[in-house]
Amino acid sequence: QVQLVESGGGLVQAGGSLKLSCAASGRTFSNYAMGWFRQAPGKEREFVATISWSLGITMYGDSVKGRFTISRDNAKSAVYLQMNSLKLEDTAVYYCAVAPGRVVSTRRTDYDYWGQGTQVTISS
């Protein structure tokens, strides 16, 4: 099993920044994609960003392109999400996830392991 723990969420004003972190522990994989998703009340869980194990391949959801940056530290089994120019519509619970055997993936169903989520609230 893999345990994922997110941190860094909170309340921030529109236009501000936050950095989310996710630490993985337990079973490790030699090559896997990590990703961030988010879910706002009453909405489907939405893809935010994904990053490959190596090669620095990243992909972003259209709504966050140019504002969010995903990165990872394999030595620490960690993934990060730097969020800038935050908007009211970024308010959601943010989840990190692991997709074993995938280089990158935008599909929720490719991710086998999920964290509990961290709340991000943007105020006006």
Side-chain angles (χ1 to χ4, degrees):
Q1 289 296 322
V2 175
Q3 292 79 43
L4 300 170
V5 179
E6 302 97 336
S7 61
L11 174 66
V12 66
Q13 284 190 325
S17 299
L18 275 177
K19 185 174 184 178
L20 306 183
S21 300
C22 174
S25 61
R27 177 183 176 186
T28 58
F29 303 93
S30 60
N31 193 347
Y32 57 92
M34 295 191 78
W36 287 97
F37 289 74
R38 67 186 183 186
Q39 189 166 17
K43 294 189 176 181
E44 296 276 325
R45 192 166 296 190
E46 171 190 25
F47 166 73
V48 174
T50 180
I51 187 167
S52 62
W53 170 261
S54 61
L55 304 178
I57 300 171
T58 58
M59 297 179 67
Y60 295 92
D62 288 342
S63 60
V64 307
K65 280 180 183 176
R67 300 188 297 121
F68 290 12
T69 302
I70 188 171
S71 61
R72 68 189 289 171
D73 183 337
N74 291 336
K76 296 181 179 180
S77 296
V79 65
Y80 308 97
L81 187 68
Q82 177 66 47
M83 306 186 294
N84 299 328
S85 302
L86 285 161
K87 303 176 181 180
L88 295 177
E89 52 264 41
D90 293 320
T91 295
V93 177
Y94 284 71
Y95 300 89
C96 72
V98 170
R102 299 286 178 177
V103 176
V104 289
S105 177
T106 64
R107 296 184 301 187
R108 186 177 60 185
T109 54
D110 285 339
Y111 290 81
D112 292 338
Y113 303 96
W114 294 82
Q116 292 300 306
T118 185
Q119 177 71 47
V120 171
T121 303
I122 313 303
S123 64
S124 59

